[in-house]
Amino acid sequence: MNDLTIPRFLRARVNAAPGKPFLSFGDRTWTYAEFAGEVGRAASGLRRLGVGLGHRVALFLPNLPEFLFVWFALAILRAIAVPINPAFRPAEAAYPLRHSEPSLVVAARDLGETLERALAEAELACPVV
């Protein structure tokens, strides 16, 4: 168990039970194989954006499947996830942004205004997707 990483866990579960349900949200369910596919697509996109080993990526996302897709993808890329509470006001979100200095922020579209204000307050310029 000491060498069980998130990517190894997912790979083992996909190999053992690819069709078994892994994640349900609303009326949608993802099997292990489907979930791994979403994670792989997220990892490819993040890699194309230059995310890799040791990079900090802020996650300004509500409790949605996309949070897990990106979180697992960052583990695959050996990057560091910096989750930020999506209920934070701009001043509250500015604190973890300022101190983590992420190379990228992944945010929900509807949090864009709050994020823009938080980045301005943190005096931080970094790409947002």
Side-chain angles (χ1 to χ4, degrees):
M1 291 294 282
N2 289 345
D3 64 343
L4 185 61
T5 63
I6 291 167
R8 286 181 183 150
F9 160 78
L10 184 56
R11 192 169 33 255
R13 295 309 304 150
V14 169
N15 290 338
K20 186 174 180 179
F22 174 66
L23 173 66
S24 291
F25 187 84
D27 61 353
R28 175 76 162 96
T29 298
W30 287 264
T31 64
Y32 280 103
E34 291 168 334
F35 182 81
E38 296 288 351
V39 169
R41 282 185 282 288
S44 293
L46 291 165
R47 189 179 296 113
R48 281 193 302 276
L49 292 171
V51 175
L53 175 65
H55 291 152
R56 291 174 301 278
V57 176
L59 304 179
F60 199 45
L61 298 166
N63 188 15
L64 295 171
E66 290 79 8
F67 180 93
L68 286 177
F69 301 153
V70 175
W71 189 75
F72 271 76
L74 291 171
I76 287 170
L77 297 172
R78 299 178 64 196
I80 301 162
V82 180
I84 299 174
N85 187 338
F88 278 174
R89 294 183 300 261
E92 295 168 317
Y95 182 84
L97 287 167
R98 184 180 307 112
H99 291 278
S100 66
E101 298 179 349
S103 58
L104 177 73
V105 179
V106 177
R109 195 166 276 152
D110 62 338
L111 296 172
E113 183 180 326
T114 301
L115 178 60
E116 283 181 37
R117 291 173 50 204
L119 288 169
E121 186 163 328
E123 299 178 352
L124 184 64
C126 68
V128 175
V129 293

